[in-house]
Amino acid sequence: MEASVEQLVYVRDDEYTVARMASETEPGFVAAGRSLAGVQPGETLKLVGEWHDHHRHGRRFEVSACERIVPSTIRAIQLYLGSGLIRGIGPRLAQAIVGHFGEQTLTVIDTDPSRLTEVINIGPARRTQIIEAWQDQKAIAELMVVLQGFGLSPLLAAKIFQVYGKAAAETLTTDPYQLIGRVRGIAFASADRIALQCGIPETSPLRVKAALVDRLEAAASGGGHCYLSKTALIAQTVELLELDEDLVREQLDALTAERRVVVESIEGRPVVFLKELHAREVKLAEQLLRLWRAPSTLPLRGFSDDPGLDDDQRAAVTMALTSTVSVLTGGPGCGKSHTVKVIAATVRAMGGRVTLAAPTGKAAKRLSELTGLPAMTIHRMLAHEPDPTVLFDQAPVQADLVVVDEASMLDLHLATRLCTGLPSGSHLLLVGDSDQLPSIGPGSVLSDLLRVEDIPRVRLTHVFRQASGSGIVQAAGQIRSGELPFLPGGGGFWFEELDDPSAVADRVVHLATEAIPRKQGIPASQIQVLCPMRKGVAGTAELGRLLQERLNPYTSDKPEHWSGTRPFRVGDRVMPIRNNYDKGVFNGETATITAINHEDRLVEILVDDGDPVTYGFDELDDLTHAYAISVHRSQGSEYPFVVAPIVAESGGIMLRRRLLYTLVTRAKSWVVLVGQRKALDLAVNRLDPRRNTALPHRIALAP
């Protein structure tokens, strides 16, 4: 049958799609199947399939094949044009265009678009916009067909076109390895499938080099590693390609000669860096040494002791005032924030200038609340140079003391920009909990500096009385020591045991949306669901979908736009996952969708404690829903209530002590863990491997 897509209902990660449809004989029905992947509301489809009675959802059409066709009826054409697929045309303008041209509307747009100015409110500029959008949409549709021929998702078509434009199809078939790292969703396996089907030989240097770079990039993005040993890199690439080791070694030598990778001896063994990561690590070591060795410009006059500090805190104050680079660590409740407040007040009393900063907006706001002093993100502090790929010609930060909180979040890139932006003679104090997760990006800066014996550090261990009774602080201490937290819990910490992952997911949703809000008399917005993993029935993707359907379900009067497998709705809680210096938004901030404009293909968000920001429909990969987020993305934030699933799906690969410790310490009042006791035991007893970094080596061996 031929039918128009009225609304997308559900898109699974494997692209199984459920949609509400309408045809001449079936004015309203549900269709489902993987063949529907990538369809958008407004499109007209030719469907092949069979009617089935679903045991839960009733009668629906199971689609076995799907083909996009040009809509032919007045209603279908108007629905198509007004759906937002064509930038510049919204529902009202679609009605006007179809009212003027009738069934010939799409023929006019395709073959004689100059006539569009016959319609009121369409001038030359709007006509040009519509023509360009129409051509782009045709190119994307053609690209979808090409991708399906390679057995790849049609959802990738718009992403590829966004990067390569009219050259997308040619790039796809001549050098698909270019797409790796540039198009989200295209990994080596996908590019390799295209390449081999296009006739690129298995032994092609292009293929082997792409595989070597892919292994290094995977180590950086998946494990935070700055390098791989040469032996490990070759072994992984041989396994990936199933080729001779000598051929792989030959192409690694070629990459080295081309200066795309750097081979270096670290601790007596050859290791391989991506060129950029090597340059950043070398630069960071140079900048840290510059700051560390420079004579202090901090005026030390009128310094007096604070009687409210314990001995370790006093030592930390003295360290920060006398050392140009130093580290302050400690767990929750140990007084890090109060110590920072005293340090900052002391420097100001002596006539010095102090800047407090943190990697994320939430962390900066929390630092400000805890110390009573102004704080900002590192990005805003370094706003003198907005381009993160360019290092400063001169230090933009003019302060005698810079304190960076949540320093465990500093990756190689941000730490390099930070240190480059500070003038010689100023003091840098890094404050953080070294038992928390390391940064999302490559590097392990805080832990690396603690491995350099000569860098001054103080670890606060005394838990103060106001925090000693907290179940969260007690549980965190037990986890850090490798002990199961007291079960079932109490006083701010609770563990509820359930074995079935699906039951765990349902219970988490119930607690976050009904039970805790009702019992505590709070809105659900004060509860954050944190997940160790993305995939699985208790991962961020599925739990986020369930929470969205409970807290912000679809209604016919609420604007909605589907991006891949995700529906974005007005009222959704979202989070940028990339820094965008042009928009002024940064990874980890939270925001609310305030408007969706289908005509201009824009989503407007209001950042918490910030300004409205717009994202194009083609930029939505930079946003994620914030109903359920990963523990990594919660770093630097604190929530009144945290609910988290703890299950050992797929071996529970992410369940590790640092992750569990970080999860528990994100809660301010209560943390509720729901799941398997065996998974909790696994998390407590499994330690994180050390990241491959050479920063301590570079600092220690510096002349």
Side-chain angles (χ1 to χ4, degrees), residues 83-295:
S83 66
L85 279 171
I86 309 300
R87 186 188 296 274
I89 303 179
R92 289 185 180 178
L93 190 56
Q95 184 176 5
I97 294 172
V98 176
H100 185 77
F101 294 114
E103 293 181 354
Q104 298 302 308
T105 295
L106 299 184
T107 302
V108 169
I109 295 175
D110 195 38
T111 62
D112 194 8
S114 61
R115 291 188 59 195
L116 284 170
T117 52
E118 296 174 14
V119 180
I120 192 169
N121 292 329
I122 297 183
R126 177 62 61 90
R127 179 188 63 194
T128 299
Q129 182 185 34
I130 292 171
I131 293 170
E132 290 177 352
W134 176 262
Q135 296 299 328
D136 288 352
Q137 197 58 38
K138 285 178 63 179
I140 291 171
E142 292 169 1
L143 203 56
M144 285 181 171
V145 175
V146 174
L147 287 168
Q148 286 176 312
F150 290 122
L152 297 177
S153 168
L155 296 177
L156 295 169
K159 299 177 184 180
I160 297 172
F161 187 82
Q162 181 185 352
V163 175
Y164 293 100
K166 295 177 181 178
E170 181 182 356
T171 304
L172 193 68
T173 53
T174 57
D175 186 6
Y177 299 113
Q178 278 192 38
L179 278 62
I180 303 171
R182 296 195 65 190
V183 178
R184 182 179 288 265
I186 296 282
F188 178 83
S190 300
D192 198 43
R193 180 188 302 176
I194 299 170
L196 294 176
Q197 290 187 47
C198 289
I200 294 177
E202 287 188 356
T203 57
S204 165
L206 194 70
R207 180 175 186 248
V208 180
K209 289 176 183 176
L212 285 161
V213 171
D214 174 73
R215 292 299 83 199
L216 290 170
E217 290 178 341
S221 61
H225 299 298
C226 294
Y227 66 79
L228 285 177
S229 72
K230 189 173 182 179
T231 301
L233 174 60
I234 291 172
Q236 289 183 23
T237 308
V238 167
E239 181 181 2
L240 179 66
L241 299 180
E242 298 181 348
L243 291 178
D244 183 73
E245 182 178 314
D246 289 340
L247 178 59
V248 174
R249 286 183 179 276
E250 179 183 336
Q251 295 310 316
L252 178 56
D253 290 341
L255 281 176
T256 307
E258 294 166 9
R259 298 186 178 180
R260 293 173 61 188
V261 301
V262 176
V263 179
E264 190 176 4
S265 178
I266 302 294
E267 298 176 351
R269 59 176 183 154
V271 303
V272 187
F273 292 81
L274 289 168
K275 178 184 176 181
E276 181 192 0
L277 288 181
H278 182 267
R280 289 278 170 172
E281 192 176 76
V282 169
K283 186 71 173 179
L284 177 56
E286 292 173 351
Q287 295 301 314
L288 281 167
L289 287 164
R290 172 183 65 83
L291 294 171
W292 187 16
R293 292 167 173 169

